[in-house]
Amino acid sequence: MNDSIVKQPKVVVLGAGSLFFGRQSIWQMVHSPYLNNGTLALVDTNEEKLAKLVKLAKMVAEDNGVPLKVEGSTNRRDVLEGADFVVLSFAEDTVKYRGIDCEVSLKYGIRMCSGDTIGPGGIFRAMRELPVIMDCAKDIEGLCPDAWVINYINPSTVHGIALSRYAPKLKSFALCDSHHMPHKKAYDAIRAGIIGEKSEFTAEIDRRFDYRVAGVNHFTWLLKAQFDGSDVMPQIAEALKKAAGTESNGGDTGAKALYNDAITYELYDIFGSIPTCTGHTKEYVRYWQGLGKTQDAIPPLSIWETEDRYKRHEEMWKQVDDFLTGNRPIADYMQSFGPDHATDIIESMVGNLGKKFFVNTLNRGAVTNMNGDSFLELLCEVSLDGVKPLHVGEMPRGVRGMQELVLDTHELTAEAVVERSFEKLRRAMMTDPLVNSIHDADQIIKELLEREKEVIPVYWYE
């Protein structure tokens, strides 16, 4: 084990202006005794946003009396040297371009509530982000080749596949925050009636609760739930069914939140497994695309809400500004946030804490009836020595078939972008489970290439 990592870890965040991660990474770096004597290096191409996050991090560290060193740069090469961990968490005008992806797709009958992992939205987000990720990988190989690279950018599977396949010398895995442990397992323990509230989820309860989740990122399923050897899957499903009867389907919850419990139960009723990321999973299947000839009790998917997202981002930046200006005491910062998935994992790796986490990585036999190189979200032992997926068992038929189709789409997308192959781009689009017409798909590709010309690499137009 590398002593320099344990004593003074350097964590570089590429895309510090990403509010969904940047603010929480500061919390964990300050809070953790394993991390707060190291360095947090924040990188963002937007100088104004970067300056705010760097100042905020320094203020929080000073207020908490920790020796955390905070650096900032608009050029990643200035801070990568000596990095032990590099977190990729950037997106170029993601609200704007996801809105365009969803708008154009809807024109051709494809409904996306998130638009960043499957469907034309997932493919074109990879077109925008993956070339930059691979440029980052080259810099990391040159400046800090021993660093762990953690991808936190959707489509997480596409980017994780690309890093593992096209930058194999790097130690990397991909993340999503929907299965942050032990929180995810604790909520289902409540649904199963094992405990009454989250605070009752102890290490002993954790040990007795056999809880197995697996699948492609955003398309994961609870395959086994047993407490002291007794199946509690039906109780979890029943709790979701009850919640579906009272769930709020309006307000500011967003398209990803609508009808999730009802959809979760309906998919369980069909497949016998419980989808665990329904806000995305409902976009991976064709059932709520509005293509049926008869009326469904659950309406077609609502579309990604661009303007509401802009408002949400404005509110989050206002919160940052309030801390910086003193309108809100900096002492409130540590009560406003909590552990983030990526920095939680980094803390466990540095401190050798032995915690288990859901990460996206190569299957390596965990799901016994899928290929070893299938890139899946799995519960893993994560340490400085590597990522080891834990045994799951078989993926049920039906669910497995859908998994394989999604994986083929994601793998073709990664190949298309890295190899700059229009042929594979088109093939990925035709393989995608949401596409119903060859001609429509060709038109979607044509329109998105034209409307996103500012952020798609120029070689796609040569």
Side-chain angles (χ1 to χ4, degrees), residues 254-283:
K256 284 169 62 176
L258 300 182
Y259 299 98
N260 283 354
D261 290 334
I263 289 172
T264 300
Y265 184 80
E266 189 157 3
L267 290 174
Y268 162 76
D269 192 45
I270 295 165
F271 293 105
S273 300
I274 297 176
T276 58
C277 191
T278 306
H280 285 280
T281 294
K282 65 188 180 186
E283 189 178 72

Side-chain angles (χ1 to χ4, degrees), residues 48-73:
E48 181 183 0
K49 291 179 178 178
L50 176 67
K52 287 183 178 183
L53 268 295
V54 169
K55 183 179 179 181
L56 180 63
K58 289 180 176 179
M59 289 173 65
V60 176
E62 182 180 357
D63 184 69
N64 286 272
V66 299
L68 179 69
K69 182 180 178 182
V70 180
E71 299 176 352
S73 178

Side-chain angles (χ1 to χ4, degrees), residues 86-98:
V86 181
V87 181
L88 309 176
S89 181
F90 51 79
E92 181 71 24
D93 287 332
T94 184
V95 174
K96 172 184 174 181
Y97 290 106
R98 284 166 76 179

Side-chain angles (χ1 to χ4, degrees), residues 84-375:
D84 300 304
F85 300 90
V86 181
V87 181
L88 309 176
S89 181
F90 51 79
E92 181 71 24
D93 287 332
T94 184
V95 174
K96 172 184 174 181
Y97 290 106
R98 284 166 76 179
I100 292 172
D101 290 339
C102 292
E103 176 192 334
V104 171
S105 298
L106 182 60
K107 178 179 172 183
Y108 295 95
I110 295 175
R111 307 183 69 86
M112 295 185 297
C113 59
S114 182
D116 64 347
T117 46
I118 200 69
I123 293 170
F124 268 79
R125 183 163 185 185
M127 292 277 283
R128 299 189 296 269
E129 316 292 4
L130 184 50
V132 185
I133 289 173
M134 298 315 295
D135 285 344
C136 292
K138 289 177 184 176
D139 287 343
I140 294 166
E141 286 175 341
L143 295 170
C144 52
D146 294 327
W148 277 94
V149 181
I150 303 174
N151 174 70
Y152 219 158
I153 306 168
N154 281 322
S156 192
T157 302
V158 174
H159 298 153
I161 288 169
L163 285 168
S164 68
R165 186 177 298 180
Y166 298 102
K169 293 180 181 178
L170 294 179
K171 300 176 293 186
S172 70
F173 57 87
L175 275 192
C176 182
D177 57 8
S178 63
H179 288 137
H180 192 180
M181 291 289 276
H183 316 291
K184 183 73 176 181
K185 192 173 180 180
Y187 288 127
D188 273 344
I190 294 170
R191 291 187 180 108
I194 297 168
I195 57 175
E197 55 187 48
K198 192 178 171 186
S199 61
E200 297 172 13
F201 190 78
T202 62
E204 175 64 14
I205 295 293
D206 187 19
R207 184 188 64 78
R208 294 161 61 191
F209 190 14
D210 188 353
Y211 183 85
R212 303 188 192 184
V213 172
V216 183
N217 176 242
H218 287 167
F219 200 41
T220 46
W221 298 70
L222 178 59
L223 305 178
K224 183 178 182 180
Q226 291 186 351
F227 187 70
D228 288 342
S230 297
D231 184 17
V232 294
M233 183 96 74
Q235 289 93 312
I236 296 172
E238 188 62 28
L240 289 162
K241 183 180 182 181
K242 288 180 180 177
T246 58
E247 66 183 334
S248 171
N249 294 314
D252 60 355
T253 52
K256 284 169 62 176
L258 300 182
Y259 299 98
N260 283 354
D261 290 334
I263 289 172
T264 300
Y265 184 80
E266 189 157 3
L267 290 174
Y268 162 76
D269 192 45
I270 295 165
F271 293 105
S273 300
I274 297 176
T276 58
C277 191
T278 306
H280 285 280
T281 294
K282 65 188 180 186
E283 189 178 72
Y284 276 59
V285 293
R286 58 196 181 277
Y287 312 125
W288 294 282
Q289 285 292 313
L291 302 176
K293 300 302 181 185
T294 57
Q295 188 172 355
D296 195 313
I298 301 171
L301 297 183
S302 295
I303 307 302
W304 164 262
E305 62 283 33
T306 302
E307 292 307 316
D308 286 348
R309 290 283 174 155
Y310 277 128
K311 290 176 184 176
R312 226 178 293 180
H313 281 222
E314 288 172 8
E315 290 168 0
M316 287 189 283
W317 277 115
K318 183 180 183 305
Q319 183 189 43
V320 170
D321 289 337
D322 284 345
F323 281 122
L324 294 177
T325 59
N327 286 341
R328 186 169 181 178
I330 198 68
D332 288 353
Y333 190 90
M334 299 304 286
Q335 282 72 52
S336 302
F337 299 97
D340 174 83
H341 200 177
T343 42
D344 205 7
I345 292 174
I346 292 170
E347 178 194 46
S348 183
M349 294 173 78
V350 170
N352 196 26
L353 304 182
K355 295 181 181 179
K356 298 178 180 68
F357 296 94
F358 280 97
V359 304
N360 294 277
T361 187
L362 298 175
N363 178 35
R364 297 188 186 93
V367 177
T368 53
N369 59 344
M370 293 183 71
N371 291 342
D373 64 353
S374 297
F375 207 84

